[in-house]
């Protein structure tokens, strides 16, 4: 009888995302998904994101009543950061970024105080908070990790940590096979993140060592993917590598279903009617969308190469650039007269763009991406072939998934991991990839495969689908953990 009563009791979950847009957006989607299933979600974040979160959550009035926001303060004084540094984007130099990560473990006492006051049933914390497991244990609640990437990349990261194949080659460009892996995947040390290497900053080495140890000792990992996309790797992660997990994605599809017009991210610099009218004037599958996420800043000479490739390919395009327009100042990153020549043929959006809405438009036929997982998943769900241009993070693993395992993309030929600016790519390489992805012999086959995965994604989140059922299994895990705590109090 006690178990039956707990089956229907409302759960309360804390979400603690890293203070960066690419981490916060899937956390919002997750909170909305939990709320849509009748549970209470609380997002913990810095005041900088308060307006953004409030706006995003209030767009869906049905779930808004089930979602709360609590704020915490980055201990900037203790690590000598400017007081206003409340997000990772505000750490604008390598030194500031190091201090930012140094400050994160100091958030522990604030999280403890919030757990003590609100008594949630579980804590879902970003991978960058390995100390969160100790905080949760202190209060007898389960802590789950959210990486924000796919099973393929999770498996690759674990295998790289455990077996260190990148340390057994004679040069950084000598290929090796990722060990203990379902498929034969060739990789090079040049594509391995620098914080896994012996000459890395000691603080980063320790952080990533702690993260991978915590992956094994926390109560499990939530993965923003769906089983049908990467079944061999979903099984490998749990059954071979021994890490408990639940696949509950694509998270944004649930949120999109609640409100198709939902804003995801910041305000677009161009009015919606402008870019929508521009898209409506094009033929189906004729436009390439080019975007490298919210963190990557290419140098002017690289932007110049991209512009030359777009013009040379003859493809119509939307290009998202993190550059503000400055009146009466010549822009050195664009060829002379580029915008005039591309009028009607290309559209440049400066700053943030409504990516999901653009990718979903029928005239968009391809996607040039930095291979961040949020972007890859959005491209998959839009049924688009992709040009893969990885820069940092786990993006080189994601590239392998897209190009080699799924067969829905072409690599642009990047060979070296880099923190921000990326490995330099000449216009000829990108131009060739653009032609292949839009009009080459393999374009239609890739587009057909991508549309097949898009249909699978939609089925996965529907009632009875793979992600729907795994989320139910996760809720059951939380219910049993809560029941166990209640029973232990009486023993």
């Amino acid at each position: 009888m006690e178990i039956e009563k707990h089956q229907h009791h409302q759960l309360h979950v804390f979400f603690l995302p890293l203070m960066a847009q690419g981490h916060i957006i899937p956390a919002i989607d997750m909170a909305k998904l939990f709320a849509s299933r009748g549970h209470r979600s609380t997002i913990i974040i810095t005041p900088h994101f308060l307006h953004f979160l409030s706006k995003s959550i209030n767009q869906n009035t049905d779930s808004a009543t089930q979602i709360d926001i609590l704020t915490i303060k980055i201990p900037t004084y203790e690590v000598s950061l400017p007081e206003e540094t409340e997000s990772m984007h505000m750490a604008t130099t390598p030194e500031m970024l190091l201090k930012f990560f140094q400050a994160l473990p100091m958030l522990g006492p604030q999280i403890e105080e919030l757990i003590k006051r609100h008594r949630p049933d579980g804590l879902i914390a970003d991978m960058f908070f390995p100390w969160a497991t100790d905080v949760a244990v202190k209060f007898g609640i389960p802590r789950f990790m959210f990486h924000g990437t796919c099973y393929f990349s999770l498996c690759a990261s674990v295998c790289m940590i455990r077996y260190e194949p990148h340390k057994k080659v004679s040069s950084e460009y000598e290929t090796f096979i990722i060990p203990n892996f379902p498929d034969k995947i060739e990789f090079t040390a040049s594509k391995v993140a620098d914080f896994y290497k012996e000459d890395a900053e000691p603080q980063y080495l320790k952080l990533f060592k702690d993260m991978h140890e915590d992956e094994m000792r926390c109560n499990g990992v939530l993965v923003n993917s769906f089983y049908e996309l990467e079944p061999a790797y979903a099984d490998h992660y749990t059954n071979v590598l021994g890490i408990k997990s639940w696949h509950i994605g694509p998270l944004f599809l649930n949120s999109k279903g609640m409100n198709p017009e939902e804003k995801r991210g910041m305000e677009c610099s161009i009015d919606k009617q402008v870019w929508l009218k521009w898209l409506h004037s094009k033929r189906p599958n004729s436009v390439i969308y080019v975007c490298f996420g919210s963190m990557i800043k290419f140098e002017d000479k690289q932007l110049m190469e991209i512009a030359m490739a777009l013009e040379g390919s003859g493809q119509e395009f939307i290009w998202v650039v993190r550059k503000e327009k400055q009146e009466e100042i010549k822009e050195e990153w664009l060829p002379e007269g580029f915008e005039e020549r591309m009028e009607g043929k290309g559209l440049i959006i400066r700053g943030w763009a409504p990516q999901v809405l653009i990718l979903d438009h029928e005239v968009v036929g391809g996607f040039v991406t930095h291979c961040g997982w949020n972007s890859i998943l959005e491209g998959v769900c839009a049924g688009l072939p992709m040009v893969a241009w990885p820069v940092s993070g786990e993006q080189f693993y994601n590239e392998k998934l897209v190009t080699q395992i799924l067969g829905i993309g072409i690599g642009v030929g990047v060979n070296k991991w880099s923190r921000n600016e990326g490995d330099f790519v000449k216009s000829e390489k990108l131009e060739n990839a653009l032609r292949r992805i839009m009009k080459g012999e393999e374009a239609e086959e890739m587009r057909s495969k991508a549309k097949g995965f898009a249909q699978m994604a939609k089925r996965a989140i529907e009632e009875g689908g793979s992600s729907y059922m795994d989320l139910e299994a996760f809720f059951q895990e939380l219910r049993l953990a809560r029941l166990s705590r209640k029973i232990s109090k009486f023993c």
Side-chain angles (χ1 to χ4, degrees):
M1 198 71 178
E2 184 71 15
I3 292 175
E4 275 186 31
K5 187 175 77 174
H6 280 270
Q7 293 279 14
H8 305 289
H9 195 282
Q10 185 189 54
L11 295 164
H12 180 200
V13 181
F14 267 13
F15 295 88
L16 179 61
L18 181 69
M19 300 77 185
Q21 190 169 304
H23 292 246
I24 290 172
I25 288 176
I28 294 172
D29 290 338
M30 214 180 334
K32 286 184 174 183
L33 175 58
F34 282 34
S36 73
R37 298 286 185 91
H39 303 298
R40 186 178 162 204
S41 301
T42 297
I43 302 174
I44 303 169
I45 200 62
T46 54
H48 172 76
F49 293 98
L50 199 54
H51 176 69
F52 168 55
L53 257 73
S54 300
K55 185 177 64 175
S56 299
I57 289 167
N58 288 334
Q59 284 174 15
N60 190 307
T61 54
D62 291 339
S63 64
T65 55
Q66 301 285 72
I67 300 175
D68 299 311
I69 303 170
L70 298 173
T71 58
I72 50 175
K73 187 180 185 311
I74 300 287
T76 51
Y77 176 79
E78 289 82 346
V79 295
S80 303
L81 274 174
E83 188 177 354
E84 66 275 9
T85 312
E86 294 187 347
S87 81
M88 200 165 85
H89 297 76
M90 294 175 175
T92 53
T93 67
E95 294 74 25
M96 288 179 71
L97 192 61
L98 196 64
K99 290 178 180 180
F100 181 83
F101 281 110
Q102 185 183 339
L104 296 183
M106 300 178 191
L107 294 170
Q110 294 182 64
I111 305 302
E112 288 184 18
E113 183 58 37
L114 293 175
I115 292 176
K116 190 187 301 183
R117 194 187 316 157
H118 297 274
R119 296 291 175 181
D121 294 303
L123 171 64
I124 299 174
D126 198 282
M127 62 179 181
F128 285 100
F129 305 124
W131 46 267
T133 296
D134 293 325
V135 170
V137 166
K138 189 172 180 179
F139 292 92
I141 63 171
R143 183 268 169 140
F144 305 93
M145 183 181 284
F146 183 69
H147 278 274
T149 190
C150 59
Y151 278 111
F152 183 95
S153 294
L154 290 174
C155 290
S157 296
V158 172
C159 291
M160 212 65 77
I161 287 283
R162 289 186 185 178
Y163 306 108
E164 299 185 327
H166 56 290
K167 295 181 179 179
K168 299 168 186 173
V169 289
S170 57
S171 77
E172 65 173 346
Y173 293 107
E174 181 186 337
T175 59
F176 59 82
I177 305 298
I178 299 179
N180 192 16
F181 223 53
D183 294 287
K184 183 180 177 181
I185 302 295
E186 290 188 346
F187 218 66
T188 62
S190 64
K191 296 178 180 179
V192 175
D194 62 5
F195 33 72
Y196 291 140
K197 298 175 182 175
E198 291 174 352
D199 58 350
E201 173 68 43
Q203 183 178 312
Y204 286 131
L205 278 173
K206 183 181 185 310
L207 173 61
F208 280 86
K209 181 175 178 289
D210 291 347
M211 280 166 44
H212 285 284
E213 288 177 357
D214 191 45
E215 194 172 14
M216 296 296 296
R217 72 188 185 101
C218 72
N219 294 83
V221 177
L222 290 168
V223 183
N224 186 16
S225 186
F226 57 102
Y227 185 80
E228 294 82 358
L229 187 68
E230 40 178 353
Y233 293 90
D235 291 338
H236 191 77
Y237 189 63
T238 298
N239 300 334
V240 178
L241 300 180
I243 303 169
K244 193 171 187 177
S245 69
W246 298 266
H247 47 83
I248 61 170
L251 289 167
F252 84 96
L253 273 190
N254 291 285
S255 188
K256 195 172 96 171
M258 295 173 196
N259 186 351
E261 293 300 307
E262 177 184 17
K263 293 183 189 295
R264 292 170 53 78
M266 309 305 175
E267 292 293 333
C268 182
S269 60
I270 297 178
D271 186 82
K272 179 183 175 182
Q273 296 309 314
V274 174
W275 58 260
L276 206 52
K277 182 181 178 182
W278 188 90
L279 284 171
H280 286 337
S281 70
K282 306 302 176 184
R283 292 173 291 104
N285 296 325
S286 65
V287 174
I288 188 92
Y289 175 73
V290 184
C291 182
F292 296 93
S294 58
M295 291 292 289
I296 293 164
K297 293 181 179 178
F298 284 138
E299 294 181 358
D300 283 0
K301 62 179 182 178
Q302 182 64 86
L303 295 174
M304 175 72 78
E305 296 291 326
I306 295 171
M308 289 163 59
L310 288 170
E311 184 170 4
S313 72
Q315 298 297 323
E316 297 183 302
F317 64 87
I318 288 183
W319 181 17
V320 182
V321 186
R322 296 184 65 201
K323 288 275 191 181
E324 292 182 8
K325 185 81 170 178
Q326 294 180 299
E327 296 298 326
E328 298 181 11
I329 295 179
K330 184 181 178 182
E331 298 187 294
E332 300 293 340
W333 57 278
L334 284 176
E336 189 74 41
F338 177 82
E339 289 187 281
E340 290 78 8
R341 291 193 303 276
M342 294 297 102
E343 189 171 352
K345 192 175 182 64
L347 184 65
I348 295 178
I349 297 179
R350 296 162 186 266
W352 186 86
Q355 182 162 290
V356 171
L357 294 178
I358 293 173
L359 291 176
D360 265 352
H361 201 286
E362 65 175 358
V363 306
V364 176
F367 181 16
V368 179
T369 173
H370 67 305
C371 298
W373 184 242
N374 289 340
S375 289
I376 292 290
L377 205 52
E378 289 163 5
V380 165
C381 293
L384 296 174
M386 294 173 241
V387 173
W389 185 329
V391 176
S392 61
E394 87 293 0
Q395 294 159 16
F396 284 91
Y397 301 138
N398 294 342
E399 176 195 25
K400 289 290 186 181
L401 174 67
V402 167
T403 60
Q404 191 168 330
I405 304 300
L406 303 180
I408 58 171
I410 296 167
V412 79
V414 181
N415 289 312
K416 193 171 181 64
W417 193 97
S418 175
R419 281 198 180 276
N420 290 307
E421 67 277 6
D423 189 20
F424 190 75
V425 175
K426 293 288 288 181
S427 63
E428 293 82 5
K429 283 187 175 182
L430 178 57
E431 184 177 329
N432 178 55
L434 291 172
R435 292 181 190 278
R436 288 177 62 192
I437 209 81
M438 296 299 283
K439 293 182 178 177
E441 291 180 10
E442 66 262 74
E444 281 311 307
E445 183 183 351
M446 285 190 290
R447 188 166 288 115
S448 176
K449 284 183 181 177
K451 290 189 182 303
F453 288 124
Q455 291 169 359
M456 292 178 198
K458 292 178 176 67
R459 288 197 293 268
I461 65 167
E462 292 172 355
E463 188 168 354
S466 57
S467 292
Y468 185 99
M469 297 306 292
D470 237 27
L471 183 59
E472 282 302 311
F474 174 72
F475 289 149
Q476 184 65 8
E477 182 89 4
L478 280 175
R479 292 185 189 105
L480 291 173
R482 181 174 59 192
L483 180 58
S484 177
R485 289 196 306 277
K486 286 187 175 293
I487 291 172
S488 65
K489 285 181 180 179
F490 295 103
C491 294

